[in-house]
Amino acid sequence: GENVGLHLPTLSVQEGDNSIINCAYSNSASDYFIWYKQESGKGPQFIIDIRSNMDKRQGQRVTVLLNKTVKHLSLQIAATQPGDSAVYFCAETPYNFNKFYFGSGTKLNVKP
Amino acid sequence: DGGITQSPKYLFRKEGQNVTLSCEQNLNHDAMYWYRQDPGQGLRLIYYSQIVNDFQKGDIAEGYSVSREKKESFPLTVTSAQKNPTAFYLCAVGGTAGSKQYFGPGTRLTVT
């Protein structure tokens, strides 16, 4: 809620720069991944997803990269804007499983 | 969100009282979920339901109860047995088998 982002790792970028947010996952059986954006006091907002049969997926100004070998996921935001300031976290789930596991998140601070 | 409603946005209760949080959806999803969010931590699953009249405990179900009498509704009761109930509570909906989850706007519960 209002305290989302407290004690989280913070990434500070200048407006217009590209941002890269990273997420390490531990379950090698994880097959489906989602990136969420959460603004203070609000529910998480779906940004982009990727399945394990892909290593890259692009959306509008965002790209998700998946490296299954080292169990690493990243979110790239192009031309970062002040409105991108929020907490970003990844979620993972194994195939045919109904539960997601969530990272604690990274706070993105965009300086105008 | 958009099709997911959580009410109220803020809720205050005295210790020892049960309180019920509402979650309603009009997205026609079978699966519904309740998560708890604490500052600096990832979302933790309380309960989930994949179909009407059926639900399963998540990772932190103690002190909580749910019902799923209608597809559209999945209320969560925070009982007096929950030792640390103050938190941000998020409802989510999604298809089964590792498909997208969408979140509601959340309810901030404060128990004093």
Side-chain angles (χ1 to χ4, degrees):
Chain A
E2 291 82 0
N3 290 327
V4 168
L6 191 65
H7 305 311
L8 293 176
T10 299
L11 174 65
S12 293
V13 300
Q14 205 69 38
E15 180 179 359
D17 288 351
N18 297 334
S19 302
I20 300 176
I21 300 170
N22 298 303
C23 178
Y25 64 95
S26 57
N27 189 349
S28 57
S30 288
D31 172 79
Y32 177 60
F33 306 86
I34 299 177
W35 276 103
Y36 288 96
K37 170 187 180 183
Q38 187 175 24
E39 297 173 271
S40 186
K42 297 184 178 180
Q45 175 187 354
F46 174 94
I47 301 174
I48 192 167
D49 59 353
I50 189 168
R51 295 199 180 272
S52 60
N53 60 351
M54 304 174 70
D55 53 20
K56 180 179 180 179
R57 189 156 189 241
Q58 288 184 292
Q60 187 177 11
R61 277 202 310 120
V62 295
T63 300
V64 54
L65 299 177
L66 175 63
N67 185 329
K68 295 180 286 294
T69 303
V70 296
K71 296 197 285 288
H72 184 266
L73 193 68
S74 69
L75 176 70
Q76 300 179 0
I77 304 174
T80 314
Q81 303 167 0
D84 294 327
S85 293
V87 172
Y88 292 81
F89 57 88
C90 63
E92 57 174 299
T93 184
Y95 175 74
N96 206 29
F97 199 59
N98 296 305
K99 293 169 61 175
F100 279 85
Y101 297 95
F102 295 84
S104 55
T106 297
K107 185 176 183 180
L108 177 64
N109 179 34
V110 182
K111 296 175 284 186
Chain B
D1 58 4
I4 307 169
T5 304
Q6 289 188 247
S7 61
K9 184 174 176 64
Y10 298 98
L11 191 55
F12 298 89
R13 281 294 183 271
K14 293 291 186 184
E15 194 174 321
Q17 293 179 333
N18 292 354
V19 59
T20 298
L21 282 59
S22 167
C23 179
E24 303 280 331
Q25 58 118 350
N26 62 6
L27 301 174
N28 202 35
H29 281 292
D30 290 313
M32 298 185 74
Y33 305 79
W34 274 106
Y35 294 93
R36 173 187 171 127
Q37 187 173 41
D38 295 283
Q41 296 189 33
L43 300 181
R44 292 185 290 167
L45 182 64
I46 305 172
Y47 268 98
Y48 64 104
S49 168
Q50 298 178 52
I51 197 168
V52 174
N53 293 323
D54 187 51
F55 48 83
Q56 286 79 40
K57 292 182 179 180
D59 300 317
I60 56 164
E62 184 176 351
Y64 300 97
S65 66
V66 293
S67 63
R68 186 85 187 276
E69 297 176 1
K70 301 185 300 181
K71 187 175 185 178
E72 301 80 15
S73 180
F74 190 41
L76 172 74
T77 297
V78 184
T79 75
S80 57
Q82 169 49 233
K83 296 178 182 178
N84 186 18
T86 294
F88 191 50
Y89 289 88
L90 288 159
C91 176
V93 305
T96 54
S99 59
K100 295 174 186 176
Q101 278 201 0
Y102 297 98
F103 286 86
T107 292
R108 174 74 185 176
L109 173 65
T110 302
V111 177
T112 57

